[in-house]
Amino acid sequence: MPSNETTERIDRQLLQEVVERAGPLTADGEVADYIPALAEVARDRLALAVAPLAGRPESADPVLAVGAGDEAFSIQSISKIFTLTLAMQRNVGARLWDRVGREPSGDPFNSIVLLEREEGVPRNPFINAGAILVADVLAGAGDDPIGALVSLVSELAGADIAVDERVAASEAATGYRNRSLAYLMRSFGNLVGEVEHVLDIYFQQCSLSMTARQLARATRYLANDGIDPSTGRAVLDPLDARRINALMLMAGTYDAAGAFAYEIGIPCKSGVGGGIVGIVPDQVSICAWSPALDQTGNSLAGRAMLASLVSRSGLSVF
Ligand code: GLN
């Protein structure tokens, strides 16, 4: 278990100050509207949740959450952490890494440019093409990937988590870019399953609905050598947990990953629903949420809240 000197400095007052200071930033940026259902979310929402590994002795709830910390939002690409976890659990790692790279892309999350040049092999599992490929791997592993995903995140979050079918239908109706990525990978023979079935899995995983409190709790295993502190269960082996953190630092926020590492200094994974998860190994897992995005598709106020929290509490891994 971690030394809790740093995490003790994170109290409700600090979180509230960070959220209040980010308030004016919610006027900037744009709420994603290329998925019509996401455009309906109010842009003034702000949430910050911190989950220490050792829990909070004074409370039965291991997570400290402020602002709209109990309001559910669409987790979108944050789901890519959990599907990669499922793929690693199923021990498909060796096969997976023949078909997906482990390099930063330096391009937007939905970019197609490198995919043709690199013969249908996505740069990493966190850009859209890579996550669609992971969905293909899970579909090929034989079981029901969405059922497995829902039960994994529900166990980790300590709550019943579900797919928001309205968001999933909205994504499926407008997912032209993702279809292009998938068919291009199919044409190279890297994606092997039935394309529309694989896309269906991908659209559903992105449409999981969770709160910042639930996401902070559900990702603690990544800060804890793969072990979920709530249950003591080994979700991943320590090496795979470390590998996911490494990939998050390099590629979890797409073409802003370098700036995130420089400005914030912890592994992060974002989604276009405005959520960002941050992992501080051996200490805490964090989730910030605010719907309006910057030009790189990362939550503008969420990014500012993470930067401020990490600098004020000394949580950077560097
Ligand atoms: N579902 C979104 C998409 O495919 C996920 C992207 C994201 O959250 N960055 O475009």
Side-chain angles (χ1 to χ4, degrees):
M1 278 293 155
S3 111
N4 273 328
E5 247 174 67
T6 322
T7 51
E8 268 163 21
R9 287 206 298 274
I10 302 175
D11 57 12
R12 181 170 294 279
Q13 194 191 335
L14 172 62
L15 297 194
Q16 252 150 5
E17 274 172 35
V18 169
V19 166
E20 268 160 38
R21 277 190 205 172
L25 295 175
T26 61
D28 300 332
E30 299 298 334
V31 178
D33 60 3
Y34 74 99
I35 299 169
L38 295 185
E40 295 163 15
V41 182
R43 63 179 304 133
D44 65 351
R45 317 310 290 147
L46 283 165
L48 189 57
V50 176
L53 301 187
R56 294 185 301 133
E58 74 283 10
S59 164
D61 188 330
V63 188
L64 187 57
V66 301
D70 291 307
E71 204 172 303
F73 59 90
S74 190
I75 75 168
Q76 293 294 315
S77 285
I78 298 171
S79 64
K80 295 169 183 173
I81 297 173
F82 300 120
T83 49
L84 181 58
T85 297
L86 281 179
M88 285 172 156
Q89 282 181 341
R90 276 152 185 66
N91 208 13
V92 291
R95 275 174 290 151
L96 179 70
W97 300 124
D98 288 340
R99 296 165 65 189
V100 191
R102 285 160 288 186
E103 298 298 337
S105 72
D107 279 322
F109 62 85
N110 57 3
S111 175
I112 202 166
V113 288
L114 288 172
L115 205 53
E116 160 124 56
R117 206 180 318 135
E118 299 183 354
E119 304 188 340
V121 178
R123 276 282 169 110
N124 64 67
F126 291 155
I127 50 175
N128 286 11
I132 292 168
L133 213 279
V134 173
D136 183 47
V137 167
L138 291 175
D143 52 7
D144 159 24
I146 290 301
L149 176 65
V150 166
S151 84
L152 173 70
V153 290
S154 297
E155 178 192 320
L156 291 169
D160 286 336
I161 304 301
V163 171
D164 182 333
E165 296 293 351
R166 248 189 93 243
V167 175
S170 184
E171 284 212 47
T174 55
Y176 310 112
R177 171 72 70 135
N178 288 321
R179 278 200 175 79
S180 307
L181 297 169
Y183 279 102
L184 187 57
M185 290 190 287
R186 184 72 186 81
S187 79
F188 279 108
N190 193 23
L191 190 152
V192 295
E194 204 269 299
V195 176
E196 291 301 326
H197 174 61
V198 172
L199 285 166
D200 213 44
I201 295 167
Y202 175 74
F203 294 140
Q204 291 206 37
Q205 73 176 70
C206 290
S207 304
L208 283 176
S209 191
M210 293 175 76
T211 68
R213 183 192 296 279
Q214 290 167 342
L215 270 169
R217 173 172 172 157
T219 49
R220 285 196 299 170
Y221 68 101
L222 291 173
N224 196 38
D225 289 329
I227 295 169
D228 176 10
S230 297
T231 58
R233 183 168 91 86
V235 179
L236 283 178
D237 71 47
L239 187 57
D240 281 336
R242 212 182 307 149
R243 287 169 168 159
I244 291 186
N245 288 328
L247 289 166
M248 284 170 69
L249 189 77
M250 283 188 309
T253 52
Y254 318 110
D255 45 334
F260 265 72
Y262 184 91
E263 287 161 18
I264 304 174
I266 63 173
C268 290
K269 182 76 208 82
S270 61
V272 289
I276 308 177
V277 162
I279 303 297
V280 185
D282 300 329
Q283 306 221 39
V284 292
S285 164
I286 306 168
C287 181
W289 173 55
S290 190
L293 309 178
D294 65 18
Q295 300 228 321
T296 61
N298 295 297
S299 169
L300 193 144
R303 180 175 178 170
M305 286 190 283
L306 277 171
S308 156
L309 175 66
V310 168
S311 88
R312 291 181 62 175
S313 55
L315 285 174
S316 166
V317 300
F318 298 110

